[in-house]
Amino acid sequence: MIKFQNVTKIYGGGQGQVKALDGVSLEVKKGEIYGVIGFSGAGKSSLIRCVNNLERPSAGKVIVDGHDLTGLTPKQIRSIKKGIGMVFQHFNLLNSKTVFANVAMPLKLLKVPKEQIKARVDELLDFVGLSDKAAAYPDQLSGGQKQRIGIARALATQPSILLCDEATSALDPQTTSSILQLLKRINKEYGITILIITHEMAVIREICDKVAVMEKGRMIEEGTVFEVFSSPKTETARNFVGTVIHDHIPAHVHELTEDRSGSHPIYKINFIGKSTGQPLISDISKRFGLDVNVLFGNITELQGTPFGNMIVEFRGTDTEIQKTLAYIREKEIKIKEVARHAG
């Protein structure tokens, strides 16, 4: 549906040249909700703006629904853009026009008959739960209501692709959750492919199927949400995951174990799905005669599937510990040593 092939975007020239995108390649498949995350300046906005031709790449290809945008005429690009809706961080509504007029605007620009415009706008306002606000003005709405109107406007032309540029970063957590649920509903009921950029890993966790992590114009990591959350490969990805899944040993736990004698390995165990319900700690203690000290644990959900981690200290002989590790891995539960505490 959307492909970036070695895309580079350079702003300016000479000494002031800035490379916002540096050879980015990724693919968003039809029907996916794909998230791109990164800190400010990572290149996220430049990437998403290349999809609807608000920016043209300096090199590489941007292919939308089989069409390479870099090789199309302006008329052809306008035709492609009819199938792409965009939701903005700051809503971009016209305060001088009613809610109805804001949603109707893309259809008026396309010279759609008035009867069809009314039917489509009424349908969309009902879909986003704001039928009673048709005659209101944006200044009379809350932030969440404004974003719902922005989403309705983006859907007016029945797009197959919806681009979301930090669509929830100006909203409070409760409103953010309701907007994300609306986006999931749009994806499911309308079959619309969604590309969302954000700096909030909670957004990725809530609705995305896949995620790409960007840094300094490059895509440094990509995978399913489960892959990236359960086993982030880069420091930047680990930092993002750590904002929503706290798997580091707290300072006070370090302090509690400082005076122990001997050397005790400390492991992080990841649980996904059914494995979260297994009595693993009790099982290995009985089976291998191992003393297990649970230092920290956290269970959350990734899109309805239990996901968690536990940090444990194993006390026993090397033989007992090695047998325990082999047993855990046979159960396809991920475990790795993260420290060895010496008293």
Side-chain angles (χ1 to χ4, degrees):
M1 176 60 76
I2 305 172
K3 288 184 181 180
F4 297 89
Q5 296 182 346
N6 202 31
V7 173
T8 295
K9 176 62 181 178
I10 298 172
Y11 296 100
Q15 297 291 335
Q17 186 179 97
V18 175
K19 185 177 284 188
L21 298 173
D22 189 2
V24 175
S25 295
L26 65 85
E27 180 177 358
V28 182
K29 294 181 179 178
K30 182 177 177 60
E32 283 185 336
I33 302 180
Y34 196 110
V36 177
I37 193 165
F39 296 111
S40 296
K44 309 184 302 297
S45 291
S46 293
L47 185 76
I48 201 170
R49 287 166 65 86
C50 284
V51 179
N52 59 2
N53 208 52
L54 291 178
E55 299 287 355
R56 291 184 66 85
S58 305
K61 294 182 179 180
V62 179
I63 300 171
V64 177
D65 202 17
H67 302 280
D68 177 11
L69 299 187
T70 59
L72 299 182
T73 65
K75 183 178 180 180
Q76 290 172 321
I77 288 174
R78 284 195 297 273
S79 178
I80 296 294
K81 289 178 69 172
K82 291 177 185 177
I84 302 173
M86 190 160 188
V87 182
F88 301 90
Q89 177 181 359
H90 296 296
F91 322 129
N92 287 14
L93 301 178
L94 294 176
N95 290 325
S96 63
K97 293 187 178 294
T98 65
V99 163
F100 185 97
N102 269 278
V103 178
M105 185 173 299
L107 299 173
K108 287 185 176 180
L109 292 174
L110 293 175
K111 298 182 179 179
V112 174
K114 288 184 178 181
E115 298 78 14
Q116 292 181 30
I117 290 178
K118 186 178 187 311
R120 180 62 175 163
V121 174
D122 286 347
E123 174 194 344
L124 290 170
L125 289 179
D126 180 63
F127 185 84
V128 301
L130 292 174
S131 294
D132 60 331
K133 301 294 184 182
Y137 288 85
D139 286 344
Q140 298 171 301
L141 305 179
S142 67
Q145 289 172 330
K146 288 179 182 178
Q147 193 57 290
R148 286 175 179 271
I149 297 306
I151 290 171
R153 180 187 57 192
L155 297 175
T157 59
Q158 298 181 312
S160 57
I161 294 170
L162 186 64
L163 307 178
C164 298
D165 186 356
E166 297 279 8
T168 61
S169 61
L171 306 174
D172 62 76
Q174 184 174 353
T175 305
T176 290
S177 180
S178 70
I179 293 298
L180 294 179
Q181 291 305 311
L182 176 61
L183 292 175
K184 287 177 72 172
R185 188 176 158 218
I186 288 167
N187 172 255
K188 182 178 180 179
E189 295 187 20
Y190 288 155
I192 293 176
T193 302
I194 298 177
L195 176 60
I196 183 168
I197 66 168
T198 181
H199 63 273
E200 300 171 295
M201 203 60 169
V203 171
I204 301 295
R205 179 182 66 177
E206 185 76 17
I207 66 167
C208 292
D209 302 307
K210 291 183 180 178
V211 58
V213 183
M214 290 192 67
E215 185 173 63
K216 297 179 180 178
R218 291 178 174 271
M219 189 185 72
I220 61 172
E221 190 162 346
E222 182 192 21
T224 67
V225 169
F226 274 115
E227 289 169 346
V228 175
F229 270 76
S230 63
S231 185
K233 297 178 177 60
T234 62
E235 185 65 24
T236 298
R238 283 191 288 272
N239 289 337
F240 275 121
V241 171
T243 63
V244 290
I245 297 179
H246 306 292
D247 59 355
H248 299 293
I249 305 174
H252 74 276
V253 173
H254 280 295
E255 294 172 3
L256 288 174
T257 60
E258 276 180 355
D259 296 327
R260 303 238 176 99
S261 60
S263 179
H264 309 299
I266 296 175
Y267 295 90
K268 183 172 77 169
I269 304 173
N270 285 345
F271 300 90
I272 298 177
K274 293 180 180 179
S275 66
T276 57
Q278 296 183 26
L280 181 67
I281 301 304
S282 174
D283 188 16
I284 61 178
S285 295
K286 293 175 182 178
R287 187 179 293 266
F288 300 105
L290 201 68
D291 287 331
V292 181
N293 183 23
V294 178
L295 303 179
F296 183 75
N298 180 56
I299 298 293
T300 185
E301 280 194 355
L302 286 178
Q303 301 168 358
T305 301
F307 172 86
N309 57 76
M310 186 179 293
I311 296 175
V312 298
E313 180 183 38
F314 285 168
R315 292 184 178 188
T317 66
D318 285 344
T319 300
E320 290 169 338
I321 291 174
Q322 290 306 313
K323 287 181 179 179
T324 299
L325 295 176
Y327 177 74
I328 290 172
R329 287 168 179 146
E330 282 176 6
K331 289 180 169 291
E332 298 184 350
I333 296 173
K334 291 184 178 180
I335 182 170
K336 68 175 181 178
E337 186 172 337
V338 293
R340 183 172 289 268
H341 192 275

